[in-house]
Amino acid sequence: MTALFRLVENARAVPVVMAALFTATLCGAQEKPGAAAPAPPPAATQPAEYAGSQACQMCHEDISNAFQKNPHQAVETGNKNGWATRACESCHGPGSKHADSASAADIRNPAKLKPADTDKICLTCHLNQPTHVGRINSGHARNQVSCTACHSIHAHGPNGLVARKLPDINKLCAGCHADVWASFQKPYKHRLPEGAMSCVDCHNPHGSFLPRSIQTVSANEPGCFKCHGDKVGPFTYEHPPVRLEGCIACHQPHGSANPRMLTRSEVRFVCLECHSNLPTPTPGPGGTPTLGTVPPAIHDLRSPRFQNCNLCHQKVHGSYVSRDFLK
Amino acid sequence: MRYLLALILIVPALAQQPDQPAKPDAQPAAAPAKTEEKTESPAPPATEDWLTGSVDFGYRWVGDAGNFQAYRSVVNLGEGPKLTGIDFTILDPKKRLFDRLDARGSGWGGDPYTTAHVDARKQGVYDFNFDYRNIAYFNNLPSYSNPLAPAGFDEQAFDTHRRNTSFNLDLRPGKKIIPYLAFDRNSGYGHGIDTWVQDSNDEFAVPTLLRDSTNNYRGGVRMEWCNCVHVTLEVGGTTFKDDDLSSFSGSNYGDRTTSLLGQTLVLNSLQQAYGIRGSSIYTKALATARPFSWLNLYGQFLYSEPKVDVHYTDSATGNFSQINSLLFYSAQMNLGTGAANQPHTSGNAGLELRPFRRLRIVESWMTDRYHDAASPATAEQILLTPKTLGPNLVTPLNYTQVVNYNQQQIDVLFDLSSKLTLRGGYRYVWGDATVLAGQLSQSGALASGQLSRNVGLAGLTFRPAQKLSLNLDYEGASSDRIYFRTSLNDYYKLRARARYQVAASLMLQANFQVLNNRNPAAAIQYNFGSRDNSLAVYWTPAGGKHITMMGEYDRSSLSSNIDYLGLFFSPGVSVYRENAHTATSTIDFALPGYAGLTPKFTAGGSLFISTGTRPSRYYQPLMRLSIPLQKHVYWNTEWKYYGYGEQFYLYEGFRAQVFMTGLRLTK
């Protein structure tokens, strides 16, 4: 309960939320609650009616056969969503006119709708699922990347609805994120090109409440800790950047020219760029006080012995014993 | 292992799969979902095999020249018989234990990257997933150690494996109430060279055994009402242990190359052991709702309280010094105990509002709070001679690390037309942190920092035709408070992405990205800039019947300047530059066929060339020949070259020819 109160403490967003809700109540009342996805523009005055999936199968036999082995077949056979025997029309809308005319203009094709409208059709059933909690504010949603950009709705097989094999997932993502894939050609990187990992091991393409759609694991920890469980802590001596800035404070997870995917060529610069505050409480007029201590003067940085700080400060992700991360 | 390999080979040898799956190192190609749909949705044959799949196996030779340790640090592929890929699907026509079972694996037989995955499903009854990864981490680079170390270049070298295993079982999938159970295990095991540090006078490289594991158990239930309200309740627990161990016996003079006050420091024996035990229980609740067709709501709340108990000991003999008291002594023992707990509260909520058909408003809010309480204590006992006790230093500490992070964001999306969507928004990020100030002593003051950042957001999506799309994303921010000197301060990010289907067989894609960050504060003067431009071409004439080509070129640059304190507090500027060219390409040729069989030749690879602070070159050309011997038997041969060189660290370069030949069996 205490935690709930803490949550409310900084609720600066509440007024905005309330205002938005109020606006919605005023403006949206004209739409019928529970209305389905947007209907296609009427091709004639007489509205189309539902014809049933069997009518679709008459012409689209290949799709229909594939669909029978597709997870969406549950829509056809189950009653959960109320589309039993009308699975095709659950997405394509009433098809009687199209069945009569065989004209593409008489049927809704989600693949040719605006991405937001396509998503709306998919989310009619899939919105209320845990993986889509972050969908609303994901980068994909904001950039109008529709569900069908990655998912094949009718197909069956190992890559039926979406790529499942690790190399295939990477291929799918790299189809748009070519610049990111280029980073994985650097010598020090996570093992994606080798097929040992995939983009979705770290990112949730449906969105996440963490930046960059980073996956969360167990207790909403950043996805990095799924594999690097020894870096989670809690440590008796925490290194604050790990929690405050995350791994990217020091690492380039997509790939780097520097060993261990570091952001700098030499370890000392990774450390000293933060640990360089002047030996005064504040860094001077106009300066912003920042965390990060003054570097100790006992280290002769001319000597290679002291140039790789983590030769001694080896528990730099957090230590159980040493405040200086020595052990 | 060989028997296991043989067993795995026999089972799927009867399997079949008409088209070849992508090789692990295959280069990406544009694969629009709609194209896949066409190719992967043929009408199934009247009688479909209950078992389909493929298996790839062969023998790999590695010929290397140059620094073998660097080769292992970057590539790490080894010689020997390999099961490079296995993939099969079982369809049970009677649907007894399962409707469908998919299993796949790769990299078995001593490869550094081993994977296995199983999906089994019985509609309406269960959905089961198993995933296993075993990834080798080898790191032994001279530039990352002390090159003047008398003991050699192996400091901070590791030869370890990290293994991830996960099980997930959903019961009654597709129903309105879905209970689920899951188990994840992450563990690390291996050897390495750690450093035992003796009072800033000397440090000694010692062999270490690394062992840690994290188990996560969780279970919950997903509930759904009227297709418009969804609630998930989950309870989970984690156990953690870390039993790293270091030991040494002999004469180790450490990294110090000179005597100290006429005496030589030496480590003769060391026993060091960590006994870390952790546990955590967490509770998570999330909900989504669509009370009206124009309103979606979601929210999530989590509370966890991980705890750790620390038991540490080390004892060492040799000749050591405590320079601040001019004391030389022959042995020391350290005992460390402690505990830490970290209550973690996390919550987020949001809504999507569609007041008009063309307008969407997305509001989100989140908070993430870690409030650690730690009580470490160390006791150091010095022995002047084996029987004479010296100073005993006990350092207890109680402190709290508090980290609060909050974010609120609003986005407004407006469809100006059916082809153009504009987006604008605002994000406010704020937080505070109280942490243990970095000091040399074991006890000391706390330091506080604050975060306050205002971010403006804008973007557009333009799709003038089905064949052309353009995305623009802009983010500009001004920060009042930041945590670290290198944090994002006053910055802007711009991203542009365009795709153009020139013809049915030709597609172009271009990306542009820029990030500029400035912190003009005195004694910081941080200027960071990065740019990334890439162009990709995908060409599949005649539907890829004879030739398929994919090519990507990426040009990136990074520039960073920041003031820092160097030798004895002397001010300096840390400068980092990287100008890189990266290219990847794959060309598949269908060679003249015989007896209805078509051999295939693939050429391509990647290159990375950078100049700047660490000029590097990394080439990975490859050639692959796949000759069908029969309808379901392919003879695959692959040559790949790995060439790596650094201008400033020539001794870390390597060249390796990797040749592999083997069979692919389908039916």
Side-chain angles (χ1 to χ4, degrees), chain B residues 430-624:
Chain B
W430 74 103
D432 58 86
T434 303
V435 301
L436 200 57
Q439 290 185 346
L440 284 177
S441 70
Q442 280 284 81
S443 59
L446 298 172
S448 293
Q450 289 183 321
L451 174 66
S452 175
R453 182 178 297 144
N454 295 281
V455 186
L457 306 164
L460 67 83
T461 304
F462 183 46
R463 294 172 193 266
Q466 284 282 332
K467 294 179 176 179
L468 176 64
S469 68
L470 174 70
N471 278 331
L472 280 177
D473 241 331
Y474 174 80
E475 187 175 316
S478 172
S479 303
D480 301 323
R481 300 279 180 190
I482 54 172
Y483 286 134
F484 302 106
R485 293 159 50 90
T486 52
S487 298
L488 286 173
N489 188 53
D490 295 338
Y491 73 90
Y492 68 86
K493 275 188 210 174
L494 177 66
R495 263 180 287 184
R497 179 167 293 132
R499 285 172 76 104
Y500 180 43
Q501 188 86 40
V502 181
S505 61
L506 180 64
M507 193 180 79
L508 303 176
Q509 168 153 335
N511 292 294
F512 172 73
Q513 184 169 308
V514 61
L515 167 63
N516 221 301
N517 183 32
R518 296 274 180 274
N519 188 343
I524 295 180
Q525 296 291 324
Y526 186 35
N527 288 308
F528 177 93
S530 74
R531 278 172 184 269
D532 200 320
N533 317 282
S534 72
L535 178 67
V537 180
Y538 307 96
W539 186 48
T540 52
K545 195 174 175 185
H546 302 294
I547 296 177
T548 302
M549 196 210 88
M550 181 281 301
E552 291 171 2
Y553 170 73
D554 182 272
R555 173 82 171 90
S556 63
S557 63
L558 193 154
S559 160
S560 171
N561 293 341
I562 185 170
D563 288 358
Y564 82 110
L565 296 177
L567 181 67
F568 307 127
F569 299 149
S570 61
V573 178
S574 171
V575 177
Y576 184 77
R577 298 282 186 276
E578 184 178 301
N579 297 299
H581 302 264
T582 310
T584 58
S585 127
T586 306
I587 307 175
D588 291 325
F589 300 96
L591 301 178
Y594 55 92
L597 304 172
T598 308
K600 191 171 152 190
F601 176 72
T602 303
S606 72
L607 66 84
F608 167 76
I609 300 172
S610 74
T611 57
T613 309
R614 193 182 188 110
S616 311
R617 287 164 186 250
Y618 187 40
Y619 303 108
Q620 303 174 79
L622 75 87
M623 283 192 288
R624 188 182 297 133

Side-chain angles (χ1 to χ4, degrees), chain B residues 258-277:
Chain B
T258 57
S259 61
L260 181 67
L261 300 175
Q263 293 212 32
T264 301
L265 302 180
V266 62
L267 172 70
N268 292 127
S269 71
L270 172 72
Q271 292 294 328
Q272 183 186 42
Y274 294 82
I276 314 298
R277 296 291 179 271

Side-chain angles (χ1 to χ4, degrees), chain A residues 6-7 10 12-13 16 20 24 27-28 31-32 65 69 80 112 114-115 123-124 127-128 130 133 136-137 142-144 148 152 154-155 157 159 164-166 168 171 174-177 179 181-182 185-188 191 193-194 196 201 209 218-221 226-227 229 234 236-238 240 243-245 257-260 264-265 267 269 273-274 276-277 289-291 293-295 297 300-302 304-305 308 310-311 314-315 320-321 323-324 327, chain B residues 21-22 24-25 28-29 33 37 41 44 48 74 87 100 104 113 133 139 141 143-145 155-156 162 164 174 186 194-195 201 203 216 222 227-228 230 240 274 288 290 293-294 296 298 300-301 308 312 314 344 346 348 353 360 362-363 366-367 370 372 376 399 401 403 406 408-409 415 418 428 430 436-444 461 463 473 483-487 497 499 509 511 560 564-565 567-569 574 576 578 606 614 618:
Chain A
R6 284 179 190 158
L7 269 176
N10 282 8
R12 292 191 181 198
V16 181
C27 302
E31 290 195 37
K32 288 182 183 175
N65 287 336
K69 299 189 184 325
K80 182 184 167 192
K112 293 185 178 176
K114 278 192 309 180
L123 296 177
T124 304
L127 175 69
N128 296 319
V133 165
I136 289 172
N137 56 356
R142 282 200 300 264
N143 282 315
Q144 310 283 295
T148 52
S152 300
H154 304 133
N159 284 347
R164 298 282 182 195
K165 295 177 193 171
L166 306 178
D168 293 344
K171 192 188 291 185
C176 292
H177 300 275
D179 49 339
W181 187 251
Q185 309 310 319
K186 296 178 180 179
Y188 303 99
R191 305 300 183 181
E194 291 80 1
D201 285 328
F209 71 91
S218 60
N220 282 1
E221 300 287 350
K226 178 183 173 186
C227 297
T236 42
Y237 297 100
E238 298 272 356
R243 193 57 75 187
L244 294 174
E245 296 276 301
N258 307 314
R260 303 192 186 189
R264 297 290 179 265
S265 172
V267 177
F269 291 117
E273 287 188 2
C274 277
S276 277
N277 285 335
T290 54
L291 301 172
T293 186
V294 179
D300 184 353
L301 294 172
R302 292 169 300 187
R305 184 183 160 203
N308 283 331
N310 64 338
L311 278 186
Q314 53 200 340
K315 302 290 184 185
Y320 297 107
V321 185
R323 182 173 182 173
D324 304 318
K327 53 185 79 171
Chain B
D25 53 1
E37 195 173 307
S41 303
E48 195 165 14
V74 176
D87 182 351
R100 178 192 182 99
R104 55 186 177 270
Y113 324 115
R133 317 272 180 92
N139 201 299
L141 295 171
S143 68
Y144 205 77
S145 63
E155 286 180 325
Q156 294 298 317
R162 290 216 72 83
N164 269 20
N186 170 249
D194 252 348
T195 315
N201 296 310
E203 59 276 352
N216 177 255
R222 302 186 187 106
N227 202 28
C228 60
H230 172 273
F240 169 73
Y274 294 82
T288 59
R290 188 175 50 197
S293 64
W294 42 265
N296 294 333
Y298 73 89
Q300 184 179 173
F301 175 77
V308 157
Y312 168 83
D314 73 37
H344 175 202
S346 164
N348 64 310
L353 189 65
R360 282 177 290 151
V362 179
E363 165 75 30
M366 74 162 285
T367 186
Y370 292 88
D372 297 28
Y399 80 99
Q401 173 172 294
V403 177
N406 308 286
Q408 182 242 320
Q409 180 169 330
D415 296 330
S418 62
Y428 180 55
W430 74 103
L436 200 57
Q439 290 185 346
L440 284 177
S441 70
Q442 280 284 81
S443 59
T461 304
R463 294 172 193 266
D473 241 331
Y483 286 134
F484 302 106
R485 293 159 50 90
T486 52
S487 298
R497 179 167 293 132
R499 285 172 76 104
Q509 168 153 335
N511 292 294
S560 171
Y564 82 110
L565 296 177
L567 181 67
F568 307 127
F569 299 149
S574 171
Y576 184 77
E578 184 178 301
S606 72
R614 193 182 188 110
Y618 187 40

Side-chain angles (χ1 to χ4, degrees), chain A residues 30-212:
Chain A
Q30 55 198 346
E31 290 195 37
K32 288 182 183 175
T45 50
Q46 192 69 21
E49 294 176 350
Y50 291 106
S53 298
Q54 281 190 337
C56 309
Q57 190 180 9
M58 308 262 297
C59 297
H60 303 284
E61 188 183 356
D62 53 343
I63 294 176
S64 179
N65 287 336
F67 194 78
Q68 286 170 25
K69 299 189 184 325
N70 178 292
H72 280 132
Q73 175 70 2
V75 180
E76 179 75 15
T77 56
N79 286 317
K80 182 184 167 192
N81 300 307
W83 292 103
T85 72
R86 295 181 299 168
C88 305
E89 290 162 304
S90 67
C91 298
H92 290 280
S96 64
K97 276 196 170 182
H98 173 68
D100 293 338
S101 69
S103 165
D106 288 338
I107 192 77
R108 179 169 68 200
N109 185 349
K112 293 185 178 176
L113 293 176
K114 278 192 309 180
D117 290 340
T118 306
D119 288 358
K120 199 173 172 185
I121 295 171
C122 301
L123 296 177
T124 304
C125 294
H126 292 286
L127 175 69
N128 296 319
Q129 291 180 3
T131 187
H132 300 109
V133 165
R135 164 74 189 166
I136 289 172
N137 56 356
S138 76
H140 280 162
R142 282 200 300 264
N143 282 315
Q144 310 283 295
V145 179
S146 71
C147 307
T148 52
C150 304
H151 293 274
S152 300
I153 308 305
H154 304 133
H156 80 100
N159 284 347
L161 289 178
V162 70
R164 298 282 182 195
K165 295 177 193 171
L166 306 178
D168 293 344
I169 295 170
N170 298 336
K171 192 188 291 185
L172 181 64
C173 300
C176 292
H177 300 275
D179 49 339
V180 177
W181 187 251
S183 296
F184 284 105
Q185 309 310 319
K186 296 178 180 179
Y188 303 99
K189 80 280 186 187
H190 279 108
R191 305 300 183 181
L192 272 78
E194 291 80 1
M197 295 177 67
S198 76
C199 306
V200 298
D201 285 328
C202 305
H203 300 277
N204 185 344
H206 298 129
S208 159
F209 71 91
L210 295 180
R212 301 174 197 86

